[in-house]
Amino acid sequence: MSQPASAPAPAPAPAPAPASAPAPSTPARPATEQLAVLPESNPRGIPKAVFIDSVADFLGGPDEDAEPALKSLQEVLAKYKFMESNQLSRRAGLDEKVPELQRTLAMVETLQRKKDDACEFETTFELSDTLYARGIVDEVDEVYIWLGANTMLSYPLPDAHALLSTKLSTARTSLRNVIEDLAFLRDQITVTEVNVARVYNEDVKRRREKREREAEEAG
């Protein structure tokens, strides 16, 4: 016999919130710490790199240290290369997945066609990576499809065809997006590498001019 639920105890009165201290003001970002990417991005959210028109303005003045700007640009470059590495791995997986789905879908279509014709057919079964056997396939109504994570489910032929068609369409779209992202990333890497080289050369130039001025003053 279930016992009646007890009434909830009254909630304690809320304590007054402590007065919050005023938030400290954020100092203005110096020119050498300007963001090296634009608010613009591609459809998958990869930011677009800034092309530095004027290195002197980017550094913030003739006497500004170029090291923070170089560090910022190199960090952006490292992030772009990391994203490129991930996209290359995704493309390698999709390059294998799309043909595999195409072959599987073609087999389901063959089974459906043979079933409609009410005839058996001979095919080759893969027993291992290098071992195959020939066999006769009778009329079938369902197939087993690997879904990943060591999971296999049986599907009627029409459902299997619909599932594989959806997966193939999704994989093709993903592959197309990855190819576009890789092209976009290559452009951003090139722009950022050019920026790094220009800032580095400007820094070398400033250091040389500074040494020359010091030598003239000492002389």
Side-chain angles (χ1 to χ4, degrees):
M1 179 177 180
S2 61
Q3 297 181 357
S6 58
S20 58
S25 59
T26 303
R29 181 186 296 271
T32 53
E33 296 181 13
Q34 293 177 11
L35 294 177
V37 294
L38 292 170
E40 305 172 23
S41 62
N42 78 337
R44 262 73 60 189
I46 301 175
K48 186 176 181 180
V50 174
F51 178 76
I52 302 174
D53 293 321
S54 172
V55 177
D57 292 342
F58 181 78
L59 294 178
D63 297 326
E64 290 289 342
D65 185 10
E67 191 64 29
L70 278 173
K71 182 178 179 182
S72 175
L73 289 169
Q74 288 166 349
E75 288 175 354
V76 170
L77 181 60
K79 291 177 182 178
Y80 278 135
K81 289 187 174 181
F82 177 76
M83 286 187 283
E84 182 187 39
S85 175
N86 287 340
Q87 294 295 332
L88 287 171
S89 298
R90 281 195 66 197
R91 180 173 182 177
L94 289 168
D95 282 339
E96 295 180 0
K97 185 175 183 179
V98 169
E100 181 180 350
L101 285 170
Q102 289 173 329
R103 289 192 299 269
T104 306
L105 184 59
M107 175 54 70
V108 171
E109 291 173 348
T110 299
L111 292 173
Q112 183 65 59
R113 187 169 58 253
K114 295 297 183 181
K115 178 185 176 182
D116 295 339
D117 296 339
C119 65
E120 61 184 22
F121 65 98
E122 184 178 355
T123 187
T124 302
F125 293 91
E126 182 180 0
L127 303 180
S128 65
D129 292 340
T130 58
L131 182 61
Y132 294 84
R134 302 191 67 82
I136 303 297
V137 179
D138 296 325
E139 181 180 329
V140 296
D141 297 320
E142 61 182 17
V143 292
Y144 292 84
I145 298 178
W146 284 106
L147 301 180
N150 296 324
T151 302
M152 175 184 283
L153 292 179
S154 64
Y155 288 87
L157 289 177
D159 293 346
H161 188 278
L163 175 67
L164 291 169
S165 297
T166 301
K167 284 183 172 292
L168 179 58
S169 176
T170 302
R172 283 173 170 167
T173 301
S174 298
L175 180 58
R176 184 168 58 251
N177 291 340
V178 166
I179 292 173
E180 292 176 0
D181 288 347
L182 282 170
F184 181 80
L185 282 167
R186 281 192 290 270
D187 290 342
Q188 310 321 304
I189 288 173
T190 300
V191 169
T192 308
E193 287 176 338
V194 170
N195 288 338
V196 169
R198 294 180 67 208
V199 171
Y200 176 80
N201 292 338
E202 178 68 17
D203 183 44
V204 171
K205 174 186 173 184
R206 290 186 178 189
R207 292 177 185 272
R208 183 178 65 251
E209 292 175 348
K210 182 179 179 181
R211 287 195 301 269
E212 292 173 354
R213 287 196 305 267
E214 291 175 350
E216 289 177 0
E217 292 173 359

